[in-house]
Amino acid sequence: MRPEFVYNKIVEELMKNKSVAVATIISKEGSGPRDIGAQLVVTEDGVKYGTIGGGSLENIIYEEAVKALREGKPKLLKLALRRDNIPSDAIPTNQLCGGIVQVFINVIHPAPRIIIAGGGNVGKPIADIANVIGFRVVVMDEKEELANPLRYPYAEKTIVGKLPEEVGKLEFGKNDIFIIAYGEVETDYQVLKKLVEMKFPGHIWALCSRNRCSWMIKRLLDEGYDLKDFKGRLHMPAGLDIRSDTPEEIAVSILAEVICVRKQCNIPVNSMDISNILIK
């Protein structure tokens, strides 16, 4: 398989908002089926493109690539292509080529995407700042004047319509971030409910007061929704407690928390966040 075909597949998966693992032979001692630079690409769906040698060697690398995708972290492997004199730090492959290869498995993620429900006073600075710091941005609103390409020229997409219905038409990936910032109580609740029904795989932030957050979560629980899978992924009220006041400051507090959660930093998340308390 020609390299350009493999690279095109990588781009295709990233454009579909999916991560890929790319295994590359980076060193080789002695004999082996492929040379330095040979690559194998593995998608989130388990499909592989290219080849790195076939047989048990490729099977082992494929399984390790799948694990790397699941963990979201790269890894370095050393594999012995022989049945004796195997180095202590090498994985045996039961092959008879005789050499030793090192394979680097890199995990490539699509640029993180933020979907914002609500393009008004707070949604606008959230989108503006998110764009500046490198997020892909999608903005949704029920009014066209608040969600259009002129207002958000950098947006990947602007969507106008009934928000719960439009949310239901989207496809999501595990790297997606959803921010509910529309501001109308029932609409915000219905958007959150739709995300729960769709088993949204990423993190959700909801801009609301402590009382409204409690009401939304308790209503979901009373309606029979199991929120255990959302523990640690539902952030309500949204944002770090930095005494923010203006829409711009609120946007900074929310995106600071988004960055903190993504990087697993030690900055304490908002002490007002009650979602993890209410979700048992």
Side-chain angles (χ1 to χ4, degrees):
M1 186 175 290
R2 295 177 63 85
E4 56 267 31
F5 179 83
V6 173
Y7 299 147
N8 286 339
K9 285 298 179 183
I10 294 172
V11 173
E12 283 179 18
E13 291 300 306
L14 294 176
M15 291 299 291
K16 290 190 291 187
N17 205 32
K18 293 186 176 182
S19 301
V20 294
V22 183
T24 306
I25 295 178
I26 60 171
S27 73
K28 176 183 174 183
E29 300 174 15
S31 298
R34 295 298 306 275
D35 292 325
I36 292 173
Q39 291 185 313
L40 174 73
V41 173
V42 179
T43 72
E44 284 187 18
D45 299 323
V47 180
K48 61 181 181 179
Y49 299 96
T51 181
I52 210 160
S56 59
L57 169 67
E58 187 159 307
N59 290 338
I60 291 169
I61 294 170
Y62 172 81
E63 292 298 330
E64 291 296 328
V66 170
K67 291 178 186 177
L69 271 173
R70 187 163 54 243
E71 296 165 0
K73 298 177 181 178
K75 59 175 61 181
L76 181 64
L77 307 176
K78 186 175 183 178
L79 303 106
L81 309 180
R82 54 191 183 226
R83 298 179 181 178
D84 53 18
N85 193 25
I86 298 173
S88 60
D89 60 344
I91 300 171
T93 64
N94 202 38
Q95 293 193 264
L96 294 172
C97 301
I100 299 287
V101 296
Q102 279 193 308
V103 175
F104 177 62
I105 301 176
N106 193 19
V107 178
I108 305 175
H109 300 292
R113 181 175 67 162
I114 286 182
I115 304 103
I116 305 166
N121 291 335
V122 178
K124 182 66 165 66
I126 291 174
D128 290 345
I129 298 170
N131 173 63
V132 169
I133 58 180
F135 288 93
R136 297 154 55 208
V137 176
V138 174
V139 181
M140 316 171 68
D141 202 279
E142 298 197 349
K143 297 179 180 178
E144 187 173 2
E145 60 264 32
L146 296 180
N148 61 73
L150 289 178
R151 184 170 168 84
Y152 299 98
Y154 51 78
E156 187 175 276
K157 185 183 295 185
T158 54
I159 301 170
V160 178
K162 295 295 184 183
L163 291 184
E165 296 176 11
E166 296 302 326
V167 168
K169 298 175 184 177
L170 296 176
E171 293 185 5
F172 299 113
K174 63 183 179 181
N175 293 314
D176 281 338
I177 294 155
F178 203 104
I179 299 177
I180 303 172
Y182 186 67
E184 195 279 315
V185 177
E186 186 63 24
T187 300
D188 285 352
Y189 173 75
Q190 293 300 330
V191 168
L192 178 59
K193 179 178 175 179
K194 177 59 69 173
L195 292 170
V196 170
E197 290 175 345
M198 295 177 70
K199 300 185 183 339
F200 180 77
H203 285 254
I204 302 169
W205 273 263
L207 178 62
C208 52
S209 68
R210 186 178 175 86
N211 286 339
R212 189 192 294 186
C213 289
S214 298
W215 174 80
M216 292 170 76
I217 294 173
K218 289 177 180 177
R219 182 173 169 185
L220 284 170
L221 295 172
D222 289 344
E223 291 183 12
Y225 290 96
D226 186 351
L227 302 181
K228 291 187 181 67
D229 287 344
F230 285 91
K231 190 174 179 65
R233 296 194 292 117
L234 183 57
H235 309 276
M236 301 170 64
L240 295 176
D241 188 1
I242 60 172
R243 301 295 189 266
S244 52
D245 183 30
T246 66
E248 293 77 13
E249 289 175 347
I250 293 169
V252 168
S253 75
I254 293 172
L255 289 169
E257 187 176 24
V258 168
I259 293 169
C260 180
V261 169
R262 282 180 51 80
K263 293 181 179 287
Q264 300 178 334
C265 66
N266 293 322
I267 300 175
V269 294
N270 190 352
S271 59
M272 296 288 286
D273 189 340
I274 62 170
S275 59
N276 288 331
I277 298 173
L278 295 177
I279 300 174
K280 304 297 184 182

